[in-house]
Amino acid sequence: MKKSIIIADDNAGLVASLKDFFDGKDGYEVVATAENGAEALAAVEKHDPDFLLLDIVMPELDGFGVLSALKTPRPVVIMMSQLNTDGFVQKALRYGAKYFLAKPFNFDVLLGTLDEFSAESDAPPAAVQPMRPAQRRNRSLDEKIANLFISVGIPAHIKGYQFLREAIKITVDDPEIINSITKRLYPSIAAVFNTTPSKVERAIRHAIEVAWNRGKIENINNIFGMKIYSANEKPTNGEFIALVADKMLLEGA
């Protein structure tokens, strides 16, 4: 059975592009679109969709208003917005969004996110743990990484945020890949985001530099439980990815 989607965004071009994209996918169906928050709520009430792709800034009622007004049971809400600073990301998750995508985003990344949520909802409870360990943990791992990034000062609106998150997830699944960061890890991330390994490397380096320039070194050391770095000691990309991946594994990611 196809998973149903409602797209709520006042950008008509994006809505049309997303609808065309999902029309070509066997497992999904766009059952309604909305250009404002009031229409979004009415569409959810009518169609009871599996997913709601929701913008923040919309006429009549914004995305946060929609999140507040949604009734239980509610669809899986994927927030999509250019307002992707830490405060907006945290507020969206606090109001009940399950995932936050910074615009512009790769449609295949969105599809992969929906696939992960769909796999969780479709798996029988007894089969989830032995049969789909990686898929089961993806959502909680994303949340842990997002919370860590917020604490250390890596903003969600920069490209390196997405690349770094993907690097950590890949390394959690395959710890040995950190020993082939140039030959395997960067190319793997580049393939997901349709970019080049060199751009991946530079964007991750920038994300780490942003965190250090924000001066949250104490937060970083507190997270890892020891004084690892000072303000003048920035880790390499590989060191930081390995450190965070190890922490996720130790916490049962």
Side-chain angles (χ1 to χ4, degrees):
M1 181 181 295
K2 290 187 176 184
K3 297 291 184 180
S4 54
I5 300 171
I6 289 175
I7 306 169
D9 197 303
D10 62 343
N11 183 332
L14 175 62
V15 171
S17 295
L18 281 170
K19 189 174 186 309
D20 287 344
F21 176 78
F22 283 110
D23 282 347
K25 307 301 174 187
D26 292 336
Y28 297 95
E29 179 184 13
V30 176
V31 295
T33 62
E35 62 181 19
N36 62 62
E39 287 182 3
L41 285 175
V44 170
E45 181 74 20
K46 178 179 179 180
H47 296 281
D48 188 23
D50 297 294
F51 295 100
L52 172 61
L53 309 184
L54 182 64
D55 189 19
I56 292 179
V57 179
M58 295 184 295
E60 295 192 31
L61 187 67
D62 67 15
F64 295 125
V66 173
L67 285 171
S68 298
L70 285 173
K71 298 177 182 178
T72 303
R74 54 198 289 160
V76 173
V77 179
I78 309 295
M79 214 69 162
M80 330 175 286
S81 181
Q82 292 178 320
L83 300 177
N84 47 29
T85 59
D86 296 346
F88 283 107
V89 175
Q90 287 180 301
K91 185 175 181 180
L93 297 175
R94 190 167 66 248
Y95 275 50
K98 296 300 184 183
Y99 203 80
F100 195 107
L101 276 173
K103 292 180 179 177
F105 53 84
N106 185 302
F107 287 6
D108 286 326
V109 173
L110 170 60
L111 178 62
T113 301
L114 299 193
D115 285 344
E116 290 173 9
F117 282 107
S118 296
E120 282 191 355
S121 64
D122 289 344
V128 170
Q129 185 168 346
M131 293 184 67
R132 298 182 183 273
Q135 290 168 330
R136 188 187 75 257
R137 74 187 180 209
N138 271 333
R139 181 166 62 181
S140 62
L141 180 57
D142 278 334
E143 291 170 353
K144 287 180 180 179
I145 294 172
N147 288 334
L148 187 147
F149 283 2
I150 290 168
S151 297
V152 304
I154 299 175
H157 68 276
I158 62 175
K159 200 66 177 177
Y161 179 102
Q162 298 181 48
F163 295 164
L164 191 52
R165 180 179 62 191
E166 189 69 18
I168 292 164
K169 290 167 65 177
I170 292 172
T171 305
V172 166
D173 283 335
D174 180 11
E176 290 299 318
I177 201 172
I178 202 65
N179 298 317
S180 301
I181 190 168
T182 302
K183 292 183 178 180
R184 292 181 56 207
L185 183 57
Y186 291 157
S188 297
I189 299 166
V192 171
F193 292 95
N194 193 28
T195 186
T196 64
S198 62
K199 288 182 179 179
V200 169
E201 188 278 332
R202 289 196 300 270
I204 290 177
R205 164 54 36 194
H206 174 65
I208 294 171
E209 288 176 348
V210 167
W212 255 252
N213 291 338
R214 286 185 168 195
K216 295 190 177 183
I217 310 303
E218 185 177 343
N219 288 2
I220 293 167
N221 289 326
N222 286 339
I223 285 170
F224 296 111
M226 62 189 81
K227 187 172 182 180
I228 302 176
Y229 298 108
S230 70
N232 297 320
E233 296 174 312
K234 289 193 286 284
T236 65
N237 290 5
E239 288 171 348
F240 189 80
I241 292 166
L243 195 64
V244 178
D246 284 346
K247 179 175 176 61
M248 297 297 108
L249 287 167
L250 287 171
E251 293 180 353

